[in-house]
Amino acid sequence: MTSKVIYFLVVLCAFQYAEVKGLQSRGLADDYLNQLMAQAEELVKLIDSAASQVQDAINSANDQASQIINSTTQNMEQLVQNAKDEINSYVAEAEQAGKDVSGCLAGQFEALDNIVSQAVPDLINCTQAQIANLVYILQDINSLKQQVLAIIKEIPGGLANCSINPVCLFNYFTTTAAKLTLLTASVNDDLVKLATYTAELGAKLAQCATVELAKVTSEIKDIVSNTIACILNTRASS
């Protein structure tokens, strides 16, 4: 009889011990859940703030690019008009001298207009290539957010799969926390890139205009020089 009582007490103690350990593990799981969710929610806030900053930078860059494109296009058109005026002044002098310079003019004014028509798309492409760096950052940040949201969705089930196994709970917690930490580092890295690109963007957009304007100026100069040379070398009608 005594042995049966002892056996009963041992079983009862074992059951109580298991119940206590189970409660402790469930409490640990809840603690891990709260910590992970808090870390993830802070990361989502950081991502949303970063995305807003990048979008503002993109909007500002597009405004800058639009102003530069419009201003540079006007400058190009003025260069073309100045070139036409210069050529026309030589034409007037040639006609007064009795020269027929129509052959010198064939297609030249159209060629001048085409220079601007070809240069403007190149200018637009150059500015958009610079702004694309900001767009890539925004795309990366949006991708990071999707990864965080996927982790948030998986956390409750991941902890539940460990049941009351403290080792499993700890391993899942540390692994997930590490993933969130890496994602946080990625967002901060994107913010560093954003600061770098925005600091350089104004100069790079201006460089697009400088390069294109220099090319247009050179092409216009060649057409004007060749046309004037033709006019000057044309003999007066007998």
Side-chain angles (χ1 to χ4, degrees):
M1 179 69 178
T2 301
S3 62
K4 290 183 178 180
V5 171
I6 293 173
Y7 175 77
F8 175 76
L9 290 174
V10 170
V11 172
L12 179 61
C13 288
F15 177 78
Q16 290 176 336
Y17 175 78
E19 185 177 20
V20 169
K21 293 298 289 182
L23 288 172
Q24 290 176 341
S25 295
R26 282 192 289 274
L28 184 63
D30 290 341
D31 184 49
Y32 284 162
L33 174 62
N34 292 335
Q35 290 186 57
L36 290 175
M37 293 302 287
Q39 184 181 1
E41 288 169 2
E42 283 301 311
L43 179 51
V44 170
K45 291 179 183 179
L46 174 63
I47 289 174
D48 286 343
S49 174
S52 178
Q53 292 178 57
V54 178
Q55 187 59 63
D56 287 345
I58 291 173
N59 293 340
S60 177
N62 281 324
D63 289 341
Q64 282 183 266
S66 179
Q67 292 173 9
I68 287 174
I69 290 168
N70 290 337
S71 174
T72 306
T73 300
Q74 290 175 5
N75 289 338
M76 291 176 181
E77 290 173 344
Q78 186 59 57
L79 288 173
V80 168
Q81 186 58 53
N82 292 344
K84 290 179 179 179
D85 291 344
E86 184 177 3
I87 291 171
N88 281 330
S89 68
Y90 277 88
V91 170
E93 291 178 5
E95 289 177 344
Q96 287 180 0
K99 295 182 179 181
D100 179 7
V101 295
S102 57
C104 297
L105 301 178
Q108 297 302 77
F109 284 180
E110 290 81 358
L112 288 170
D113 291 333
N114 287 337
I115 289 176
V116 177
S117 298
Q118 294 171 4
V120 171
D122 290 343
L123 176 59
I124 292 172
N125 289 337
C126 181
T127 58
Q128 289 305 306
Q130 299 304 325
I131 297 173
N133 291 324
L134 297 176
V135 175
Y136 295 149
I137 293 177
L138 183 59
Q139 290 173 343
D140 186 62
I141 289 175
N142 288 334
S143 174
L144 293 173
K145 183 174 183 178
Q146 293 306 311
Q147 294 178 56
V148 175
L149 293 178
I151 290 175
I152 291 174
K153 186 176 181 180
E154 294 169 358
I155 288 174
L159 291 170
N161 288 338
C162 288
S163 185
I164 58 173
N165 186 333
V167 175
C168 178
L169 289 171
F170 176 77
N171 288 339
Y172 182 83
F173 170 78
T174 54
T175 299
T176 305
K179 289 179 181 178
L180 293 173
T181 299
L182 286 174
L183 290 171
T184 300
S186 295
V187 177
N188 287 326
D189 183 55
D190 279 338
L191 288 173
V192 171
K193 290 179 181 177
L194 172 64
T196 300
Y197 286 145
T198 51
E200 300 172 347
L201 187 60
K204 289 185 175 180
L205 291 176
Q207 183 65 15
C208 287
T210 299
V211 170
E212 206 60 42
L213 196 57
K215 185 176 72 173
V216 166
T217 300
S218 177
E219 291 175 355
I220 289 174
K221 183 178 179 180
D222 288 342
I223 292 176
V224 171
S225 297
N226 292 335
T227 305
I228 291 175
C230 178
I231 292 171
L232 293 176
N233 290 328
T234 299
R235 294 182 179 181
S237 302
S238 55

